[in-house]
Amino acid sequence: MAAIQLYVSSVTSSTAMKKQIQKMEMVLDSHKVAYDSVDISLVEGSKEKMRELIGDANAIPPQLFNGDTYCGNYEQFMEANELGTVKEFLKLV
């Protein structure tokens, strides 16, 4: 299991969420970051775990974690990518 987990949902009617997930996967791949996708619609209890670790009962994917440490959401990750601080954002350095 990779240190980085990307929480996603394969069952969504939101085109925006699907595009965000795809963009995050592309950025992670371009930085050669190993990660596991955790699909909250398929893995029982994962939505509750994601929300508990974030501390927000209404949080929705996509969300990034390093182990059980919350890294951030789509907007925060994209900002880190623009600033060139993806590895720091993911707490890999």
Side-chain angles (χ1 to χ4, degrees), residues 8-67:
V8 301
S9 178
S10 62
V11 180
T12 179
S13 60
S14 169
T15 304
M17 181 186 292
K18 290 176 186 175
K19 287 182 180 183
Q20 288 177 354
I21 292 167
Q22 289 175 338
K23 179 77 173 174
M24 291 175 84
E25 290 171 337
M26 287 186 340
V27 171
L28 288 167
D29 290 343
S30 73
H31 286 278
K32 297 180 177 25
V33 174
Y35 65 95
D36 292 321
S37 289
V38 180
D39 190 334
I40 67 166
S41 61
L42 299 176
V43 181
E44 188 173 332
S46 59
K47 177 170 70 174
E48 293 76 12
K49 179 181 179 181
M50 175 191 77
R51 290 178 170 175
E52 179 183 329
L53 291 173
I54 294 171
D56 180 353
N58 299 312
I60 60 171
Q63 303 287 344
L64 280 164
F65 293 83
N66 185 334

Side-chain angles (χ1 to χ4, degrees), residues 72-86:
N73 62 23
Y74 171 78
E75 289 82 12
Q76 295 163 330
F77 181 63
M78 289 298 113
E79 182 178 342
N81 185 47
E82 288 180 26
L83 296 172
T85 59
V86 167

